[in-house]
Amino acid sequence: MQTKLARVLAASAVVLGALGLGGCSTPHGGAPADAGVVPQTDYLIGPGDNLSIIVWRNPEVSQVVPVRPDGKITTPLVEDLPASGKTSTELARDIEKALAKFIQQPVVTVIVTGFVGTYGEQIRVIGQAAKPQSLPYRRDMSILDVMIAVGGVTEFAAGNKASIIRMVDGKQQQFTVRLNDLIKDGDISANVQMRPGDILVIPESFF
C-alpha cells in the first residue's frame, strides 16, 4: 500500500512540475516569450515630437514645430495649443477650430516627423546598460530591440538577474529576464516582447 501511494505521489509531482505548479519558479516569475497581444491604438503625440503642420492653400501658416515639454505647441495664429496625448488627426481638427477665427474653412494635416511618444508609453532602461535611456515604444518591440538601442550591458551587469517592471490591470508586476543568455549566448528563447511603459532594470553583479 505504501509502495502504491509513493508511486501516486511521485506521478503527481511530475505532473505538477510539468504544469509549472511545483513551486520552483523565480521570486517574481519569468516573463513569457509571448507577452500577449498588445492592443493596437493610434500613435499618441508626446513632448519632444516634431510635427509638420500643413494648412492647405496657406503656406504662410504651415510650419514644422516641436512639442514642448509641457505638451503644447505654438504655431502662427495659434498659441499654447495642447498636443500631447492626441492623435495627429485629433490635433489637426483642434488647429482647424483655432484657425477658423482667421481663415475661412481651414484644412489642416498634421504629420509626426520625429517620434518620442508620451511619457507613459516610453520604455525606460536603468542600471547597468551601456547607455541607460528612455526609448519610444514601437509596435512588436522586443527586449532584443531594446538591447540594441542601448548598446547592450556593461561588464559589471548581472544580465540574467535583470527584470521588467510592468503595469498589468492597474497593478505593478515584475518579471525576470535572461539578458546574458540572449545577447551573449544567442539564446533566442530568452527574447521577450516589450509593452508600452515597461521599465527594464539591469542590476550590478557582485563578485
Side-chain angles (χ1 to χ4, degrees):
M1 182 61 128
Q2 291 180 346
T3 301
K4 184 177 180 180
L5 179 60
R7 290 177 180 175
V8 172
L9 290 175
S12 300
V14 171
V15 173
L16 288 173
L19 294 175
L21 301 175
C24 297
S25 60
T26 56
H28 300 293
D34 181 2
V37 178
V38 178
Q40 299 301 324
T41 58
D42 292 333
Y43 179 80
L44 300 180
I45 296 168
D49 283 350
N50 288 320
L51 308 178
S52 177
I53 300 173
I54 303 168
V55 184
W56 188 52
R57 291 184 176 178
N58 290 272
E60 66 279 2
V61 292
S62 300
Q63 279 195 351
V64 176
V65 299
V67 182
R68 303 195 310 249
D70 63 359
K72 298 179 180 180
I73 62 171
T74 297
T75 68
L77 303 180
V78 180
E79 294 184 354
D80 297 335
L81 184 66
S84 182
K86 298 179 180 179
T87 67
S88 58
T89 300
E90 290 171 341
L91 180 58
R93 301 293 82 80
D94 290 346
I95 295 175
E96 287 174 350
K97 291 178 182 178
L99 289 177
K101 301 175 183 178
F102 313 99
I103 300 173
Q104 186 175 5
Q105 296 182 336
V107 178
V108 176
T109 300
V110 175
I111 302 172
V112 183
T113 58
F115 298 90
V116 175
T118 60
Y119 291 129
E121 292 194 341
Q122 292 177 14
I123 305 295
R124 293 171 174 82
V125 185
I126 60 176
Q128 294 299 312
K131 296 180 291 184
Q133 59 185 290
S134 294
L135 303 169
Y137 174 79
R138 301 191 306 274
R139 180 178 176 179
D140 297 328
M141 193 176 199
S142 72
I143 199 167
L144 181 58
D145 298 318
V146 173
M147 285 293 95
I148 293 172
V150 301
V153 299
T154 70
E155 60 180 314
F156 306 107
N160 280 355
K161 294 183 179 179
S163 61
I164 293 174
I165 299 174
R166 174 179 298 165
M167 294 298 294
V168 179
D169 297 329
K171 297 181 179 180
Q172 182 175 288
Q173 295 187 11
Q174 189 168 354
F175 307 93
T176 56
V177 289
R178 299 178 288 118
L179 296 182
N180 284 351
D181 291 351
L182 175 63
I183 62 181
K184 293 184 178 180
D185 299 334
D187 184 357
I188 298 302
S189 68
N191 194 22
V192 299
Q193 294 296 308
M194 304 297 291
R195 286 191 172 183
D198 278 355
I199 301 173
L200 176 60
V201 182
I202 308 173
E204 183 177 358
S205 177
F206 295 98
F207 300 98

